[in-house]
Amino acid sequence: MPKTLIIILGPTGIGKTSLALQVAKHYSTEIISCDSRQIYREMRIGTAVPDQETLSQVKHHFIQTHSIHDYYNASKYELEVLQTLASLFETHEVAVMAGGSMMYIDAVCKGIDDLPDVDPEIRSSLIARINTEGIESLRMELRYLDPVYYSEVDLRNPKRILHALEICIMTGKPYSSFRTRRIKTRDFDIVKVGLNTERSILYSRIDQRVEEMFREGLAEEAKELYPFRNLNSLNTVGYKELFDFFEEKTSLEEAKEKIKTNSHKYARKQLTWFSGDSSINWFSPGMEREILKFLDEQLCVQD
RNA sequence: GGUGCCAUAGCUCAGUUGGUAGAGCAACGGACUGAAAAUCCGUGUGUCCCUGGUUCAAUUCCAGGUGGCACCA
């Protein structure tokens, strides 16, 4: 009998945390967080880490388990989650995953290609080259080393070019030769529950949550992390806008407004991604009863 | 009460020597397999305050009204 992973997803601020808690309690199981920022232990307020009350009721995995100084990515997450699930499924029929990090969700559901970890020295030397010679220099090298990917990639997106070139240089083989894009099969079933609501309601929930974060001391938390502002992990909504305030590029009020609108944009981007996933079963916040009923039926059908 | 200035996109404002209009932000849409809360690409959504007048044609000029701001009483 296959085990089941229930995935609760949706845009930021929609209420995934509290739904996940209810679902996990309903099935007496544990929660795997799927959030590329809550994973860092140094950040709490701006990433909306669940409160102690919530964390004490159900065991959560991948919450504040890594450091902002660690190199982390979707592939590492895939690997670590599969290990966690394997041991969780030894004692549970069901596991709950909750979060909005689109690529991390897909990494767990479909897997991603095997690639070597990026060598930080190669990365920094290529970034230095972009700064001195411009992105065109890397484009030309990619065209030479991997003409296949060069013809597919968005040439205006520096990160794509950078990463492809990193892999070419590190392995001596074209990046495209690793891009099998094969969908990995899992030995557990997956049921996806999406939460979404009217846009104006979503935005006002987000805005209220930002106000709450400031009351809890977001500005102070960001101030402590300011020395690490150049780390990728701190290229994060809620922090980068406050770094601009600390550098006197904006007022505090402007930074707060920017956090709100950037969160709106992030929510939209999440919804764009999810709209391409036909396996998601959509519900509105407040439909906990219907969702639990739906899940019970799904688990029955799959047994 | 008087005088002056202003009224254009959701907001802040350009602009049209008269031929129905554009920037920034917001909003909206899309791409995306190792930095993904990242990165990249695309879209103007409008009774140009109202009512008359002049004119082939008024958002633009004129008059009156309404609202706002400033100053003088």
Side-chain angles (χ1 to χ4, degrees):
Chain A
M1 190 167 72
K3 311 286 182 170
T4 302
L5 176 63
I6 295 168
I7 302 182
I8 292 165
L9 54 83
T12 184
I14 194 71
K16 298 182 290 291
T17 300
S18 73
L19 176 63
L21 184 69
Q22 291 182 58
V23 174
K25 280 176 161 177
H26 182 72
Y27 295 110
S28 302
T29 187
E30 302 176 1
I31 293 174
I32 291 171
S33 167
C34 185
D35 189 303
S36 70
R37 301 299 151 167
Q38 288 181 6
I39 209 165
Y40 296 115
R41 72 177 69 95
E42 293 87 347
M43 297 194 274
R44 179 179 67 83
I45 299 170
T47 57
V49 165
D51 57 29
Q52 278 308 317
E53 166 74 12
T54 302
L55 295 176
S56 67
Q57 292 183 58
V58 168
K59 180 163 176 58
H60 285 66
H61 301 264
F62 298 95
I63 295 267
Q64 297 185 296
T65 46
H66 296 65
S67 167
I68 55 172
H69 302 283
D70 296 339
Y71 173 70
Y72 203 71
N73 59 47
S75 179
K76 289 180 182 295
Y77 181 77
E78 174 195 3
L79 194 72
E80 292 175 10
V81 167
L82 290 179
Q83 287 170 353
T84 303
L85 279 177
S87 71
L88 196 53
F89 282 144
E90 282 175 18
T91 49
H92 297 76
E93 293 304 304
V94 175
V96 174
M97 195 166 97
S101 294
M102 303 85 82
M103 196 165 129
Y104 284 27
I105 295 171
D106 280 359
V108 170
C109 295
K110 301 191 284 193
I112 56 183
D113 294 329
D114 292 324
L115 286 177
D117 272 357
V118 169
D119 178 342
E121 283 187 22
I122 289 180
R123 172 159 292 185
S124 55
S125 77
L126 286 176
I127 289 172
R129 252 179 72 190
I130 292 177
N131 292 333
T132 55
E133 302 169 32
I135 186 71
E136 186 58 19
S137 162
L138 301 203
R139 269 195 212 114
M140 289 305 99
E141 187 166 350
L142 181 65
R143 188 165 74 169
Y144 174 69
L145 293 175
D146 190 350
V148 172
Y149 190 64
Y150 181 86
S151 69
E152 296 169 356
V153 70
D154 175 1
L155 291 168
R156 286 172 297 196
N157 191 331
K159 291 202 178 186
R160 300 273 150 70
I161 295 169
L162 181 68
H163 183 241
L165 209 47
E166 284 166 349
I167 300 301
C168 292
I169 291 170
M170 284 166 55
T171 64
K173 288 190 280 189
Y175 172 61
S176 55
S177 67
F178 295 94
R179 271 168 58 89
T180 68
R181 303 176 72 89
R182 191 174 56 81
I183 293 178
K184 295 177 188 165
T185 53
R186 303 304 189 197
D187 59 3
F188 49 85
D189 290 327
I190 295 172
V191 178
K192 289 179 186 167
V193 167
L195 279 184
N196 192 20
T197 187
E198 200 178 304
R199 208 54 79 80
S200 59
I201 297 172
L202 174 62
Y203 289 172
S204 93
R205 290 179 77 127
I206 288 171
D207 293 349
Q208 281 171 30
R209 194 166 74 160
V210 171
E211 292 292 341
E212 178 60 26
M213 285 174 178
F214 272 85
R215 281 194 292 274
E216 283 180 39
L218 176 59
E220 292 70 22
E221 184 178 79
K223 185 79 186 179
E224 282 177 25
L225 295 172
Y226 179 72
F228 313 116
R229 61 193 173 282
N230 292 324
L231 293 174
N232 171 65
S233 47
L234 286 170
N235 187 353
T236 297
V237 174
Y239 298 87
K240 56 185 177 182
E241 299 86 353
L242 281 165
F243 297 157
D244 282 344
F245 164 63
F246 300 144
E247 291 171 4
E248 298 183 346
K249 291 175 186 163
T250 66
S251 69
L252 183 59
E253 204 50 40
E254 283 167 341
K256 189 194 276 182
E257 282 309 301
K258 203 68 190 160
I259 290 172
K260 289 177 182 173
T261 59
N262 280 342
S263 298
H264 300 173
K265 284 182 183 172
Y266 174 49
R268 263 182 261 143
K269 195 170 71 172
Q270 289 173 302
L271 289 168
T272 296
W273 182 292
F274 294 140
S275 70
D277 185 344
S278 59
S279 66
I280 300 172
N281 303 281
W282 289 100
F283 294 88
S284 296
M287 293 176 71
E288 289 78 10
R289 282 240 307 267
E290 289 86 342
I291 291 168
L292 288 176
K293 184 164 171 278
F294 167 79
L295 288 172
D296 281 343
E297 287 166 4
Q298 290 295 308
L299 293 173
C300 239
V301 165
Q302 287 173 7
D303 282 350

